[in-house]
């Protein structure tokens, strides 16, 4: 049994490419462009891409962003050896992810989709999620929900889900690349708007493996998040 355990650890992971999505309009940032905002003196997008560049489990990177950011993002991140392209996204997140997937090489068997606005993701979270997807075909990091969640309709509470079963899902979300492509097309064909890539895969009837996320893997969506990010960076040093 001990020998078998060692053999499993030596088995190589299937090649994984990352699609980093930075095509949002940052409507809640009060005029600040969240992916170009400075965090610890470095643009958010550059910090995000560098983490994926340094991960051994990531072989390629495609960055999907707004048309007006293609040139500046290319200047910041185009020098990384794993970056295959910096391209313009679509009108929806689904379309942006599809465009990014299309530019990963045919050698990639897994795809990790990550929000560029999560610059504090750690290599450990990326590696853990890729390894889970390698075994289970679909995986995502998540953390336990601390607050009591209420389902509300018409301004009144309709139900109170048991938070023991609730998780706040993060990115990267990692999938067999062919499964994700089929899932996104199915959602599009059926007119289903999904808020994350797990939802598209779930719509196919597939299960998604949840792995331990990180409370520091926050998404920058408001100016307050930038302040929190600065505090979290200081804790790392």
């Amino acid at each position: 049994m001990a020998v078998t355990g060692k053999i499993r650890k030596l088995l190589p992971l299937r090649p994984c490419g990352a699609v980093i999505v930075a095509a949002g309009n940052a409507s809640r940032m009060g005029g600040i462009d969240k992916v170009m905002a400075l965090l610890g003196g470095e643009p958010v997008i550059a910090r995000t891409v560098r983490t994926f560049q340094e991960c051994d489990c990531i072989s390629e990177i495609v960055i999907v962003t707004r048309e007006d950011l293609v040139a500046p993002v290319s200047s910041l991140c185009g020098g990384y050896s794993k970056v295959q392209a910096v391209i313009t996204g679509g009108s929806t997140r689904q379309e942006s992810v599809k465009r990014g997937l299309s530019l990963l090489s045919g050698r990639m068997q897994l795809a990790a989709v990550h929000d560029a606005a999560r610059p504090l993701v750690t290599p450990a979270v990326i590696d853990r999620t890729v390894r889970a997807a390698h075994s289970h075909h679909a995986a995502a990091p998540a953390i336990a929900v601390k607050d009591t969640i209420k389902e509300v309709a018409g301004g009144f509470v309709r139900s109170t889900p048991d938070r023991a079963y609730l998780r706040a899902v993060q990115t990267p979300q990692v999938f067999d690349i062919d499964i994700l492509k089929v899932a996104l097309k199915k959602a599009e064909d059926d007119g289903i708007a999904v808020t994350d890539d797990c939802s598209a895969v779930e719509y196919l009837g597939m299960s998604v493996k949840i792995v331990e996320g990180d409370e520091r893997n926050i998404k920058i969506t408001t100016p307050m998040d930038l302040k929190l990010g600065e505090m979290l960076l200081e804790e790392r040093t």
Side-chain angles (χ1 to χ4, degrees):
M1 293 295 292
V3 173
T4 302
K6 290 180 180 178
I7 291 173
R8 285 177 179 168
K9 290 181 180 179
L10 292 174
L11 288 176
L13 290 171
R14 289 180 286 154
C16 182
V19 175
I20 296 179
V21 184
N25 59 19
S27 58
R28 287 177 285 177
M29 285 295 290
I32 302 171
D33 195 306
K34 61 184 178 183
V35 298
M36 298 299 287
L38 295 182
L39 182 63
E42 182 179 16
V44 163
I45 182 68
R47 186 176 290 278
T48 302
V49 174
R50 188 179 72 248
T51 301
F52 279 82
Q53 168 71 27
E54 293 174 351
C55 276
D56 292 339
C57 63
I58 299 296
S59 300
E60 298 178 0
I61 300 170
V62 172
I63 305 168
V64 187
T65 189
R66 301 197 315 265
E67 184 175 6
D68 61 303
L69 290 181
V70 169
V73 170
S74 297
S75 177
L76 284 169
C77 306
Y80 289 126
S81 61
K82 294 180 183 178
V83 174
Q84 305 299 297
V86 180
I87 62 170
T88 303
S91 58
T92 64
R93 177 189 170 84
Q94 290 163 258
E95 181 60 32
S96 294
V97 173
K98 284 173 57 181
R99 291 184 183 186
L101 292 173
S102 71
L103 288 181
L104 292 174
S105 75
R107 191 173 65 86
M108 296 300 103
Q109 297 179 31
L110 298 172
V113 183
H114 185 69
D115 297 320
R118 290 187 186 271
L120 300 181
V121 65
T122 62
V125 168
I126 298 171
D127 185 79
R128 189 156 57 236
T129 313
V130 171
R131 289 183 183 279
H134 175 83
S135 300
H136 300 281
H137 309 291
I143 58 174
V145 174
K146 296 179 179 179
D147 297 325
T148 297
I149 304 298
K150 301 288 185 180
E151 183 181 359
V152 177
F156 291 89
V157 173
R158 187 162 69 178
S159 66
T160 304
D162 185 347
R163 71 181 181 191
Y165 297 100
L166 299 178
R167 297 293 183 272
V169 179
Q170 305 175 333
T171 66
Q173 298 176 2
V174 188
F175 313 88
D176 284 5
I177 192 167
D178 291 337
I179 289 175
L180 181 55
K181 287 179 178 179
V182 169
L184 291 172
K185 186 178 188 307
K186 174 68 172 172
E188 180 182 37
D189 290 346
D190 291 357
I192 303 298
V194 295
T195 55
D196 71 349
D197 302 288
C198 285
S199 299
V201 171
E202 291 162 28
Y203 184 64
L204 282 183
M206 292 192 61
S207 296
V208 177
K209 176 67 175 176
I210 293 298
V211 301
E212 183 182 358
D214 189 329
E215 289 186 347
R216 295 164 297 182
N217 185 18
I218 63 171
K219 187 175 182 181
I220 306 295
T221 55
T222 69
M224 182 63 71
D225 294 329
L226 274 176
K227 294 179 180 179
L228 176 58
E230 293 286 355
M231 293 172 57
L232 293 171
L233 278 179
E234 289 179 6
E235 289 182 359
R236 286 187 179 181
T237 59

